[in-house]
Amino acid sequence: MWLKPEEILLKNAFKLWVTEKDNEYFVLQRRRGYGEGGGGLTGLLVGTLDTVLDSTSKVAPYRILHHTPDSQVYWSIACGVTREEIVQHWDWLQQNIMRTLSVFDSSEDITSFVQGKIRGLIAEEGKSSLVLEEDPEKFREAHLRFEKWFELPTEEKLVTYYSCSYWRGKVPCQGWLYLSTNFLCFYSYLLGSEVKLVISWDEIWRLEKTSNVILTESIHVLAHGEDHYFSMLLHLNETFVIMEQLADYSIKRLFDKEAFQREPALSDPLQITKRGLEAHAKSEQFRTFFRLPKEENLLEDGSQCHVIIPMREVVNVEKPDSGSRALTVCVRGKRALRFSEVRDFQRLANTLRSRCGISASPQHSASSEVIRGECQSLINHFEDNPEDVTLMVGQKDSSKAVSTEALMTVFHPQDVENLDPKMLKEKMKEQSWNIHFSEYGRGTSMFFTRKTRDLIVRGVPEALRGELWMLFSGAVNDMATHPGYYTELVEQSLGTSTLATDEIERDLHRSLPEHPAFQSDTGISALRRVLTAYAYRNPKIGYCQAMNILTSVLLLYAKEEEAFWLLVAVCERMLPDYFNRRIIGALVDQAVFEDLIREHLPQLVEHMTDLSFFSSVSLSWFLTLFISVLPIESAVNVVDCFFYDGIKAILQLGLAVLDYNMEALISCHDDAEAVTILNKFFDSVTNKDSPLPPTVQQASVGNNDKASHFNVDISELIREAYEKYGNIRSEEVESSRKRNKLHVIQTLEDTTKQNVIRVVSQEVKFSASQLDELYNLFKRQHFLSCYWTMKSPALLHHDPSLAYLEQYQLGFQQFSVLFSLLEPWAFCTSKSTLSLWIFRLIDENQDGLVNFKEFCCALDTLYSGSFTNKLKFLFKLHLPPAFTGSPLHLKEQRIQHFIPVTEDSSHLSRLTAFDLPEDGVIRKSPERGRGKVDLQAYLKQWQNEILKKEETIKDLPRINQTQFIQFSKTLYNIFHGNPEEESLYRAVAHVTSLLLRMEEVGRRLQEPSSPTKPANTTAAAAAAAAAAEESSTEEASTTPETFDTSGSHNSQDAAPDLSELEWSFSFEQVLASLLNEPALVSFFERPVDVHAKLGQAKVAQLKLKANK
């Protein structure tokens, strides 16, 4: 491959290369240790250096250098992995370059020409690589190796692969890095030593590029507390970007539950490709840069473009001259944009015309008079009938309830005749913006220039604030493409009662309570409608505190519908993941803020090594855009900058605030003193140019009394922030967001795990390390059902807003697979009926889901419980609700059992078994925006758990004959395959016979006048033993339906008169009988090697999924 020319000085270099071909201007060399002969001892030394050291020494074994006769400087221009590849490059140089070099007079011209030609070749290869797919034959071979080495499920999609070195301590292992949809894998096999690594993307804590003394450039991956380094990558930046995209895709899909419905390339995890990830990244960058709705995707990506024109703004497309390959696009506002040298300009012109409904034929211009006449008649009609305008634009009469004016216009109308200095300055600002509009356009066709930013920093005029917020945020595009949407949402959402609406009503009067607009019903009603409509639109977020403060400020300067779309832009694009229970977005940006503090404020870092203080202090800065800490007349200037520059403006201002108070913060002794310093500073911030009256302004009155206290103007503070920290690039912020998001999410997940383990450890005998491993297995089993589908029940039911104990829950199918890996005996397989009974028994709230606590308590009983507790657990498995006693209708009863009782279950009667999700569970877990959470039910459940007393053996009901026969069968299934199976079988047969005789004696004592026939008891004993014996020979893979049906059939055939006996046993009787059999007691009291079980389960969890 051709290389960017780099200078190499060979005079003092080691003799690490052997020259094979040379001429006056080029040299072909081979690395010692490669090719024929291997290079002897020198070759071994060079090979060792290439393997151990990671730097430019790790190169391809062949290279071509350029030089001139009168210079000692050489330039590397090509390298090759094989001799054939490098010879092909050499021949091309001989045929195309050598003849041309003879015409140059100086060596500088020769070198300059060669370098330019090589750079041109590299550019051409770059263009072709965007069009050509990867070699399908090589990729197929790599995929076969990937499946063979890692034994992952066949559904796992390999995305790409790279040759690299993986560092185990201080020793590198050369091998292959495989990147698939859900896993990062590495494989190496050298001199009999095999290295295999499999890490799922959702387990990664850190993913970053790093360098040190040994590793000049490598990729660092932190997972499960272990550091992994991958180096010697030929395309390190490309590899890192793909890894970053796959990790981000996994996080969004598994934790954020994003379905990517609008992006076909990512909607199916079985079809993820490298090209699809690149297209998604470009579309995301495109939307972020231009502040476009999520529905917009980039169709074609040419050279960098900084002009965007909405189709609705285009009024005409013209071709000035067919020979100039130019297009002129006319837009509203009497502006025209000319694009020259347009590739395939004819097709582009036709496409634009068809999209915009513009006629391409000039002959149709003759009909313009007719169209003009029709338009004039329509105008006249609407002037006479203004009520028809509402119907024409698709709005309904109910829109009269929606406010059509900004609250600031209603409560503080501008006095045109007022000529005080502040109003004069406000008029000057408006005039500056009008000049800008005349030069660069207005609305969506406006160009953003350096002058635009300067005007923003000075402060936006009150009259233009709403319009510019809509433009800069991109909300104007959302509103234009969804006419009437907000009105419909208001109609649908008003009157609903949800958890979100309850929280909204509670916070309505806490939103800017000092402002007159929110001391009246007008402002409160508008705020209620906007927040309720958004909670209805996005139930995933619903309502979160701080949304009321932000929305109230939006309503001051924007119309009600505009405020709604501004809120959409902020919550869904500009501040992603901010407004939810875990405020992940705010935590991520706080981590970005800490990184910037380390970079730009080193003095502060030296004094305050623990930067977590700034995270806790700055949380409200990010959540409310400084609105909660600054007076409203100053805060709106910050919001101006935010809508123009995004989160970068908030980060810059945060750094400026800390920098302004640097000396005071360094001299403080504790956190409380630092908080006091910052609060005093914010109270001193004023806006000397604000035209708002004193009744609207919220500057601290107390500070005005203190003449000694200084004041800081918000415009000066913002200007200083841009001057000192304006070099922070948005791309760097986005990259830092992705890097820190992994760590933030995993930290939250780890906190959840620790809380769960702390609660569960009080009720089980597992150690903390064992519970940690169990939780990882439980969580991975939850995600295994989500890796290869977008519609997994486990993924759909995962709700981060739930209590930490219910963060991850398993349905029956997932539980059955995991329990088969951990059960202490050999009876439980993935399709065993007993797994279903265990699932029913431990599902205490009968919601069709098992949480980690319920799972661990059951496992603890089977692992560490006493003989009595283990037997009691098995006994309860054969009582309702675990065992229904109607095996012929097991499937139907299983489905009915898994349907929780809800207040509104009328829709369930219409469902059939074919409508159920794959785990047979129907749930109605209300989402935060729309469903009503029954808090009383939760409180009652907690109260019952607190008051629940220890269950005694006397509280257990008696077991009837059908249940007892099934109990005997279960014991035989437990013993199946055990070396002591014969003795255990005889012990169970003896216990069965003994219990039946005891029952016969009891019946005779109770009814002496009606003697029973001994033959019946003998038949019953024989039937129970026969049924149990036959069940012990059944295969373990029998399905629940066939298992129970066959058992019922056998018992009925063997003893048709058992139902006439109506015998039953208490738990005390069963326990006393089994205690008389030492073989049974020793079997159940045999200790289980928990550590070995967990280790085997960890290894087999993925393989079991792969073999299904």
Side-chain angles (χ1 to χ4, degrees):
M1 62 181 291
W2 300 108
L3 301 175
K4 181 181 177 181
E6 291 185 1
E7 184 177 332
I8 297 176
L9 187 62
L10 295 182
K11 184 177 180 181
N12 298 322
F14 292 105
K15 300 296 183 180
L16 304 179
W17 296 87
V18 178
T19 300
E20 295 202 339
K21 294 183 180 181
D22 65 339
N23 55 38
E24 189 176 0
Y25 299 108
F26 300 102
V27 178
L28 189 155
Q29 294 183 332
R30 171 177 55 83
R31 187 79 163 167
R32 289 187 183 275
Y34 296 90
E36 298 177 1
L41 183 59
T42 307
L44 290 175
L45 177 61
V46 174
T48 303
L49 289 173
D50 286 348
T51 304
V52 176
L53 298 180
D54 182 283
S55 63
T56 53
S57 64
K58 180 58 184 177
V59 295
Y62 297 93
R63 71 178 182 181
I64 296 177
L65 306 178
H66 163 66
H67 73 104
T68 53
D70 55 349
S71 174
Q72 294 292 329
V73 177
Y74 286 72
W75 299 83
S76 64
I77 60 174
C79 69
V81 178
T82 62
R83 183 178 180 82
E84 291 77 10
E85 180 184 0
I86 204 67
V87 168
Q88 184 180 2
H89 287 355
W90 177 268
D91 292 342
W92 189 90
L93 291 171
Q94 299 299 315
Q95 298 170 11
N96 297 277
I97 300 295
M98 285 297 295
R99 297 176 185 176
T100 309
L101 296 182
S102 60
V103 303
F104 293 100
D105 297 329
S106 65
S107 59
E108 290 82 4
D109 293 340
I110 293 174
T111 300
S112 180
F113 174 78
V114 172
Q115 290 179 355
K117 194 65 178 176
I118 297 302
R119 289 192 178 98
L121 292 172
I122 294 173
E124 287 298 322
E125 286 183 350
K127 289 181 180 179
S128 62
S129 64
L130 296 176
V131 179
L132 298 177
E133 293 283 355
E134 294 181 86
D135 188 342
E137 187 63 27
K138 286 186 177 179
F139 191 85
R140 189 182 67 84
E141 293 176 0
H143 193 269
L144 291 175
R145 292 195 300 269
F146 172 73
E147 291 181 336
K148 175 185 176 182
W149 288 339
F150 302 107
E151 299 179 343
L152 294 172
T154 55
E155 299 95 336
E156 184 63 16
K157 175 69 170 64
L158 177 64
V159 176
T160 187
Y161 60 99
Y162 300 94
S163 173
C164 72
S165 289
Y166 168 62
W167 289 76
R168 301 183 68 186
K170 297 181 180 180
V171 180
C173 303
Q174 185 65 28
W176 291 90
L177 177 68
Y178 293 87
L179 307 179
S180 65
T181 305
N182 299 294
F183 300 97
L184 178 155
C185 306
F186 176 82
Y187 183 85
S188 173
Y189 185 83
L190 293 173
L191 302 176
S193 175
E194 184 181 54
V195 178
K196 188 184 296 186
L197 180 70
V198 179
I199 303 173
S200 59
W201 295 114
D202 56 87
E203 297 171 342
I204 293 179
W205 283 66
R206 284 283 183 189
L207 179 61
E208 55 191 353
K209 288 189 289 186
T210 184
S211 61
N212 53 42
V213 178
I214 299 178
L215 304 175
T216 56
E217 200 172 16
S218 61
I219 297 176
H220 171 220
V221 177
L222 173 62
H224 296 300
E226 297 181 3
D227 294 299
H228 307 276
Y229 292 92
F230 301 92
S231 63
M232 302 185 188
L233 286 147
L234 193 57
H235 304 286
L236 187 137
N237 289 330
E238 175 190 315
T239 307
F240 178 75
V241 169
I242 294 295
M243 293 171 70
E244 195 176 50
Q245 290 172 349
L246 285 169
D248 186 60
Y249 174 67
S250 180
I251 291 296
K252 288 181 177 179
R253 190 164 61 90
L254 299 177
F255 293 98
D256 300 341
K257 298 194 293 184
E258 190 170 334
F260 300 94
Q261 295 178 351
R262 299 185 182 95
E263 301 190 49
L266 301 182
S267 59
D268 185 2
L270 304 182
Q271 302 298 329
I272 299 299
T273 62
K274 178 181 174 183
R275 183 180 294 271
L277 289 170
E278 292 172 346
H280 168 70
K282 289 179 180 178
S283 291
E284 200 169 44
Q285 185 180 10
F286 165 73
R287 287 191 296 265
T288 302
F289 185 82
F290 292 112
R291 306 281 171 79
L292 296 178
K294 290 185 177 181
E295 294 83 359
E296 296 295 329
N297 282 311
L298 188 62
L299 299 179
E300 294 184 11
D301 179 34
S303 59
Q304 286 191 350
C305 174
H306 297 280
V307 179
I308 181 167
I309 308 171
M311 292 293 187
R312 63 180 182 277
E313 298 289 324
V314 178
V315 296
N316 197 10
V317 180
E318 299 176 356
K319 293 181 291 182
D321 183 6
S322 60
S324 64
R325 299 174 60 83
L327 281 180
T328 300
V329 180
C330 302
V331 297
R332 295 179 185 177
K334 299 181 181 180
R335 298 190 64 82
L337 303 172
R338 180 184 175 91
F339 300 90
S340 60
E341 296 301 322
V342 179
R343 185 180 59 185
D344 200 0
F345 71 103
Q346 182 66 48
R347 182 177 66 87
L348 180 59
N350 295 334
T351 302
L352 290 174
R353 285 174 176 147
S354 62
R355 289 284 186 91
C356 302
I358 302 171
S359 174
S361 176
Q363 287 81 359
H364 293 296
S365 60
S367 62
S368 59
E369 293 296 331
V370 178
I371 298 174
R372 190 178 295 109
E374 293 177 353
C375 293
Q376 186 62 44
S377 63
L378 279 173
I379 293 172
N380 295 335
H381 170 76
F382 287 128
E383 287 178 350
D384 298 334
N385 304 277
E387 67 277 1
D388 290 353
V389 177
T390 304
L391 301 177
M392 188 70 180
V393 297
Q395 295 182 347
K396 302 179 181 179
D397 294 339
S398 60
S399 63
K400 296 176 182 178
V402 177
S403 175
T404 57
E405 294 292 337
L407 294 179
M408 195 65 78
T409 306
V410 177
F411 289 89
H412 176 51
Q414 290 191 7
D415 186 0
V416 180
E417 298 179 356
N418 186 358
L419 298 179
D420 64 5
K422 290 186 176 181
M423 287 304 300
L424 285 175
K425 197 160 188 178
E426 187 77 2
K427 293 298 180 183
M428 292 175 62
K429 286 183 180 179
E430 290 185 24
Q431 186 62 28
S432 299
W433 276 100
N434 289 330
I435 295 172
H436 183 275
F437 292 150
S438 64
E439 292 180 359
Y440 301 105
R442 188 167 186 169
T444 53
S445 61
M446 183 178 76
F447 287 94
F448 293 178
T449 65
R450 178 78 181 183
K451 187 177 179 181
T452 312
R453 174 170 292 179
D454 293 339
L455 291 173
I456 290 290
V457 172
R458 288 171 52 189
V460 176
E462 298 280 317
L464 298 176
R465 186 159 272 140
E467 175 188 346
L468 293 177
W469 284 0
M470 290 288 290
L471 175 64
F472 295 147
S473 67
V476 63
N477 298 313
D478 290 319
M479 184 172 169
T481 53
H482 296 83
Y485 176 77
Y486 174 68
T487 305
E488 294 177 2
L489 274 185
V490 171
E491 290 180 351
Q492 295 170 6
S493 61
L494 284 182
T496 58
S497 178
T498 67
L499 181 62
T501 57
D502 292 345
E503 294 176 348
I504 290 171
E505 289 296 329
R506 184 187 61 204
D507 290 344
L508 282 177
H509 296 279
R510 304 177 186 175
S511 310
L512 300 184
E514 301 88 356
H515 199 284
F518 297 100
Q519 295 172 356
S520 68
D521 185 63
T522 302
I524 294 295
S525 298
L527 182 60
R528 178 187 293 112
R529 286 192 295 269
V530 172
L531 292 175
T532 305
Y534 185 78
Y536 191 84
R537 163 191 165 87
N538 192 344
K540 184 179 178 181
I541 292 178
Y543 171 77
C544 182
Q545 284 188 344
M547 288 175 64
N548 60 319
I549 299 175
L550 176 61
T551 307
S552 59
V553 174
L554 299 179
L555 282 168
L556 289 177
Y557 295 97
K559 300 175 183 178
E560 185 175 321
E561 184 175 4
E562 293 175 344
F564 169 79
W565 287 113
L566 284 169
L567 183 63
V568 170
V570 171
C571 294
E572 298 178 12
R573 292 199 302 274
M574 303 187 73
L575 297 178
D577 298 325
Y578 260 62
F579 301 99
N580 52 40
R581 296 287 182 183
R582 303 201 293 178
I583 55 172
I584 291 175
L587 296 175
V588 170
D589 282 342
Q590 283 182 312
V592 175
F593 188 50
E594 288 184 14
D595 291 343
L596 293 174
I597 292 174
R598 294 186 184 94
E599 180 181 352
H600 296 279
L601 302 175
Q603 292 180 333
L604 193 60
V605 175
E606 290 176 4
H607 178 72
M608 304 182 71
T609 54
D610 185 11
L611 297 183
S612 60
F613 162 74
F614 296 110
S615 296
S616 59
V617 170
S618 64
L619 181 60
S620 62
W621 304 357
F622 291 98
L623 283 174
T624 65
L625 308 179
F626 284 93
I627 296 172
S628 63
V629 294
L630 288 175
I632 183 63
E633 65 274 10
S634 301
V636 290
N637 284 36
V638 179
V639 179
D640 295 339
C641 299
F642 167 74
F643 279 123
Y644 183 80
D645 266 328
I647 193 62
K648 188 183 85 163
I650 306 299
L651 295 169
Q652 290 174 179
L653 185 60
L655 290 174
V657 168
L658 297 180
D659 188 21
Y660 201 99
N661 296 275
M662 176 79 73
E663 294 181 3
L665 290 173
I666 290 177
S667 62
C668 65
H669 299 87
D670 53 30
D671 293 350
E673 187 177 349
V675 171
T676 303
I677 291 171
L678 292 175
N679 287 339
K680 287 183 178 180
F681 172 78
F682 288 127
D683 288 340
S684 69
V685 176
T686 61
N687 188 350
K688 63 183 181 181
D689 298 332
S690 175
L692 299 179
T695 56
V696 175
Q697 295 190 20
Q698 297 176 343
S700 175
V701 179
N703 285 335
N704 296 334
D705 299 335
K706 298 179 181 178
S708 61
H709 201 283
F710 62 89
N711 287 331
V712 181
D713 184 63
I714 186 65
S715 297
E716 294 298 326
L717 184 62
I718 291 175
R719 183 179 294 108
E720 184 177 343
Y722 272 91
E723 289 176 355
K724 287 189 175 181
Y725 310 108
N727 59 345
I728 299 173
R729 299 173 62 246
S730 299
E731 293 80 3
E732 295 174 356
V733 173
E734 289 300 320
S735 177
S736 182
R737 272 179 162 180
K738 289 181 179 179
R739 182 176 65 253
N740 285 290
K741 185 176 181 179
L742 291 172
H743 185 263
V744 168
I745 286 183
Q746 295 296 357
T747 301
L748 292 173
E749 290 291 308
D750 189 64
T751 302
T752 299
K753 178 173 70 173
Q754 297 305 324
N755 289 334
V756 172
I757 290 176
R758 186 175 63 252
V759 172
V760 175
S761 62
Q762 300 174 4
E763 303 190 20
V764 297
K765 298 178 182 178
F766 291 117
S767 65
S769 61
Q770 291 171 345
L771 283 174
D772 187 275
E773 292 186 54
L774 274 173
Y775 186 89
N776 292 335
L777 289 169
F778 192 88
K779 179 181 174 181
R780 168 168 276 201
Q781 191 62 44
H782 170 91
F783 279 145
L784 276 176
S785 62
C786 313
Y787 280 161
W788 300 283
T789 178
M790 285 290 189
K791 298 181 180 180
S792 165
L795 190 61
L796 297 176
H797 300 146
H798 174 52
D799 184 0
S801 65
L802 292 174
Y804 52 78
L805 204 57
E806 300 177 4
Q807 285 288 297
Y808 297 107
Q809 302 181 83
L810 301 183
F812 169 66
Q813 295 295 340
Q814 300 128 33
F815 164 82
S816 181
V817 172
L818 183 58
F819 200 82
S820 67
L821 296 172
L822 294 170
E823 50 86 18
W825 308 307
F827 68 87
C828 186
T829 60
S830 58
K831 295 183 179 180
S832 172
T833 307
L834 205 54
S835 296
L836 174 61
W837 295 340
I838 294 173
F839 182 82
R840 286 177 174 176
L841 178 63
I842 65 179
D843 181 16
E844 296 180 358
N845 57 358
Q846 299 185 5
D847 62 348
L849 293 170
V850 170
N851 62 35
F852 182 69
K853 178 182 176 182
E854 295 168 338
F855 181 80
C856 284
C857 289
L859 211 59
D860 181 64
T861 301
L862 297 178
Y863 276 14
S864 307
S866 64
F867 175 76
T868 302
N869 287 336
K870 291 179 180 178
L871 191 63
K872 184 170 70 173
F873 185 85
L874 293 173
F875 188 84
K876 290 169 68 174
L877 288 181
H878 300 84
L879 297 171
F883 180 74
T884 61
S886 302
L888 288 173
H889 305 286
L890 178 62
K891 183 175 182 178
E892 179 182 352
Q893 293 194 2
R894 177 180 67 182
I895 293 172
Q896 292 176 356
H897 171 75
F898 282 162
I899 299 176
V901 179
T902 60
E903 295 178 4
D904 180 17
S905 59
S906 58
H907 66 289
L908 298 179
S909 60
R910 299 188 299 271
L911 292 173
T912 63
F914 301 99
D915 298 317
L916 299 176
E918 64 181 34
D919 62 351
V921 182
I922 298 178
R923 298 173 192 83
K924 192 180 179 184
S925 56
E927 292 182 274
R928 298 181 54 225
R930 300 184 183 180
K932 184 71 172 180
V933 177
D934 191 353
L935 298 179
Q936 294 294 331
Y938 276 109
L939 291 173
K940 186 176 181 180
Q941 180 181 343
W942 293 338
Q943 183 180 15
N944 292 338
E945 290 180 357
I946 294 173
L947 299 177
K948 184 170 60 176
K949 62 179 182 179
E950 184 69 24
E951 185 181 51
T952 65
I953 60 177
K954 294 184 179 296
D955 297 327
L956 294 174
R958 296 174 68 86
I959 191 170
N960 63 31
Q961 55 192 24
T962 304
Q963 296 163 349
F964 179 74
I965 292 175
Q966 189 61 53
F967 176 76
S968 302
K969 293 166 65 176
T970 301
L971 291 177
Y972 279 108
N973 286 334
I974 292 175
F975 307 145
H976 183 63
N978 191 279
E980 302 174 0
E981 180 179 2
E982 188 66 26
S983 61
L984 293 170
Y985 170 78
R986 287 197 299 268
V988 172
H990 184 264
V991 168
T992 303
S993 177
L994 178 62
L995 285 171
L996 289 171
R997 290 195 182 96
M998 291 170 58
E999 176 64 18
E1000 179 184 2
V1001 172
R1003 288 169 60 86
R1004 288 180 178 177
L1005 293 175
Q1006 291 177 3
E1007 301 178 10
S1009 60
S1010 56
T1012 56
K1013 299 181 180 179
N1016 287 345
T1017 303
T1018 306
E1029 181 179 4
E1030 187 168 345
S1031 69
S1032 66
T1033 61
E1034 294 178 354
E1035 296 183 1
S1037 60
T1038 307
T1039 61
E1041 292 78 13
T1042 57
F1043 187 94
D1044 271 359
T1045 304
S1046 62
S1048 175
H1049 180 71
N1050 291 336
S1051 62
Q1052 291 173 4
D1053 289 347
D1057 57 339
L1058 282 177
S1059 58
E1060 301 176 0
L1061 298 178
E1062 297 181 358
W1063 41 265
S1064 63
F1065 303 108
S1066 66
F1067 177 72
E1068 295 97 320
Q1069 291 175 309
V1070 176
L1071 176 61
S1073 302
L1074 291 175
L1075 283 172
N1076 290 325
E1077 299 294 334
L1080 291 174
V1081 175
S1082 62
F1083 175 83
F1084 281 107
E1085 291 185 343
R1086 189 175 302 151
V1088 178
D1089 189 346
V1090 180
H1091 181 73
K1093 276 284 183 182
L1094 293 175
Q1096 294 169 5
K1098 186 177 180 180
V1099 173
Q1101 195 171 28
L1102 269 178
K1103 292 184 178 180
L1104 187 62
K1105 178 70 179 178
N1107 295 330
K1108 288 184 66 177

